[in-house]
Structures are given as structure tokens and as C-alpha cells.
Amino acid sequence: MNSANSKYIIPCEYGKIGKTGGCYIPEKDGLYGVISVSCETKTEPPKPEFEIENETLIRYNDESREIDIPNGIKIISDGAFGSSSVKVVNISESVEHIETAVFFGVEEINVSENNRYFSSVNGILYSKDKKVLVAVPNGFSAREFKIPDGTEEIGECAFVCSDIDRVIFGGGIKKIGSFSCSGISEIVLPDTLEVIPEGSFSQCFNLESITLPPSLRYIGDLAFEECESLKEVHIPKNVTHIGRSAFPPDCKITADKDNLYAMKRMAEFVSKTQNKQNI
């Protein structure tokens, strides 16, 4: 071998590759060949602090515990804070729409006074006119939470996975979205409530106590589906509709004796339960 070219040969053992680069020497039929190997690694560029597409915040990637949503973002998407350590979110004036189940792990939500669509009270997110409770952040912890008087609507998944133990409704509630409140054990409904929509309290796994008000007329399908801890419910006299699978199978249902509709539905409910047990 020409010594002038020896500096271009990288020493290595047959059949092995060095950790920092080198060569591989294969053998076949008594002949040898040299394959050069490069161990160069490519590093991916760091992710941006805010992933934004079409004025929509897709994901927050940093480690801060408190963040300011950049002005210009109009939509905050579901899962935006799912893998972050954010505890306080300050919403800018440009935000117009917030998807459901956004604030997992967040403890406090604050809204710019100049925002035309949202407001906040004590870290809870409301519509601008405070008639809609939009979201109780998942990390918000309290033994008891009273929904303010004047609130007319509970937004979809407003209490999703909440750790609050007891929720008291204020007067004026007209519409209830899906609670999905896995941690809540007691719910106190207002005397003015007339309708419990389909699936409203579905998957409130720890719900043990709920008193249906005398004003109630309608209980939708699956209203208390999978409320495994709910063992007894009394149906008020004005209820004229109880939807399909409105209560869990093990729940004892009673009714005012002069509510013939409720008594009939109770008999149907018991009959279906017994038939399933005999199968």
C-alpha cells in the first residue's frame, strides 16, 4: 500500500463499526471490500413555543407555569395544553372560540378586559355577558363550587374531570351541557330547572346525591348513564318524560304516587332490569 494514501484509510476491526465512525470490511469468497460508514447525526430543530395554524393555537410546547396567549390567535383547540405544565392561562383579546376540554391541568383562567367573547371570575371562564359558564379548569380544586345567580347555561364539558366535590346551581339555569364530572359527588339543582337534557350527567362516576327539583318536567335519554355511585333518586310530580336508560341499573327510583306516568316508567324500568338479570 502506498504510504501516501495510508492517511485516508480508517483503521477498524473486521466486521465492526466504530462508535464515532469508521468502516466495515465484508468478506466473500476470500475477497475483501471496504464500506465507509458515517455516524453523523441530524438534530431536529426545536419546536416553537406556540404551534399555530390558521390563527388556531394547536399546542403549547414550553415549560412555563403561566402563559399569555399571543394576540392574533382566534381559536384555542382541544389538547392545546395536554402535555404541558401550565397552571395559569391568560387569554388575549383576539380569542373568539375555545374548544371543549381544553384546560386539563390548568388551575386558573384569566381573560383580557378587551376580549369581546369571554370573561373570567376567580379563575373560571364565562361568556362575555357571564350567562354561560364555559369552563372550570381541570386543576381548579375546591370542596364546593356555587354557580353564580344569573348564569343561564352550563357549556359542554364545562366540569370535565373536575375535582370539585359539590356543585350548587344558582337560580336562572336554563340549559345544561354534558358535565362528565368524574369527581363530583353531590349536585344541588335549582328550583327553576325544567329540563335535564340527554346525557347531561353521564359518566359522573362518583355522583352519590342529586335532588330533582319540583319544577322538573323532562329527563332525557342517558341523563345519568354510568353514574355508578348513584343509588337512589326521587322523581318529582311534574315529570312527564323519562328517557331511555336515564338512570343506572342499580339505582332505586321512587316517585310521587300521583305521578302516574313516573309510576308506569318505574315499572317498565324494573321489568327491563329483571329481564337482563335473568338472561
Side-chain angles (χ1 to χ4, degrees):
M1 181 182 296
N2 190 321
S3 60
N5 295 327
S6 62
K7 63 180 180 179
Y8 298 107
I9 302 300
I10 303 173
C12 68
E13 298 180 37
Y14 292 161
K16 292 186 177 181
I17 300 173
K19 292 182 179 180
T20 59
C23 61
Y24 174 70
I25 304 180
E27 176 186 358
K28 185 177 181 180
D29 299 329
L31 301 176
Y32 296 87
V34 178
I35 299 175
S36 177
V37 177
S38 171
C39 289
E40 294 180 5
T41 58
K42 295 182 179 180
T43 57
E44 295 184 2
K47 292 182 178 180
E49 181 180 7
F50 295 96
E51 290 184 33
I52 302 170
E53 295 180 7
N54 300 322
E55 299 178 314
T56 300
L57 175 59
I58 304 299
R59 189 174 305 279
Y60 174 74
N61 295 312
D62 211 349
E63 301 293 329
S64 298
R65 291 177 62 84
E66 180 173 354
I67 65 166
D68 298 323
I69 302 299
N71 211 20
I73 288 177
K74 292 185 177 181
I75 300 172
I76 301 177
S77 68
D78 182 13
F81 308 107
S83 59
S84 72
S85 57
V86 174
K87 299 300 178 186
V88 180
V89 175
N90 301 315
I91 295 175
S92 60
E93 62 182 275
S94 62
V95 175
E96 300 177 1
H97 176 74
I98 299 173
E99 295 183 357
T100 59
V102 166
F103 300 102
F104 282 103
V106 174
E107 298 175 357
E108 180 181 334
I109 306 169
N110 302 307
V111 181
S112 166
E113 293 182 357
N114 296 324
N115 189 292
R116 295 183 297 161
Y117 301 92
F118 299 101
S119 62
S120 60
V121 179
N122 298 325
I124 309 298
L125 184 65
Y126 294 86
S127 60
K128 185 65 175 181
D129 59 9
K130 297 183 175 62
K131 290 184 178 180
V132 181
L133 192 159
V134 179
V136 177
N138 171 247
F140 179 85
S141 180
R143 168 100 181 38
E144 181 176 289
F145 176 71
K146 185 179 186 302
I147 299 171
D149 292 338
T151 304
E152 297 181 357
E153 180 179 343
I154 309 300
E156 289 294 321
C157 300
F159 286 86
V160 64
C161 297
S162 171
D163 289 330
I164 297 170
D165 185 57
R166 185 171 189 254
V167 174
I168 303 172
F169 282 68
I173 292 291
K174 297 179 180 178
K175 183 178 179 182
I176 303 174
S178 174
F179 255 56
S180 298
C181 49
S182 60
I184 296 174
S185 65
E186 182 180 1
I187 294 174
V188 180
L189 297 174
D191 291 337
T192 55
L193 186 68
E194 296 185 359
V195 175
I196 295 179
E198 177 179 345
S200 286
F201 299 102
S202 174
Q203 297 184 340
C204 290
F205 302 114
N206 291 323
L207 181 63
E208 298 176 356
S209 173
I210 187 164
T211 301
L212 304 182
S215 57
L216 190 66
R217 296 182 295 101
Y218 182 100
I219 302 173
D221 295 349
L222 311 173
F224 295 91
E225 182 196 26
E226 297 187 70
C227 293
E228 301 165 353
S229 301
L230 188 62
K231 300 304 181 185
E232 186 172 353
V233 171
H234 183 77
I235 308 297
K237 64 179 181 180
N238 291 321
V239 171
T240 57
H241 178 86
I242 301 174
R244 175 181 56 87
S245 301
F247 299 97
D250 294 335
C251 183
K252 178 183 177 181
I253 303 173
T254 60
D256 289 351
K257 62 182 180 180
D258 55 348
N259 188 335
L260 298 180
Y261 168 79
M263 298 291 285
K264 180 181 177 181
R265 289 291 284 128
M266 284 168 52
E268 294 172 356
F269 181 80
V270 170
S271 176
K272 288 181 181 179
T273 302
Q274 290 176 344
N275 289 337
K276 286 183 179 180
Q277 291 174 346
N278 292 331
I279 294 175

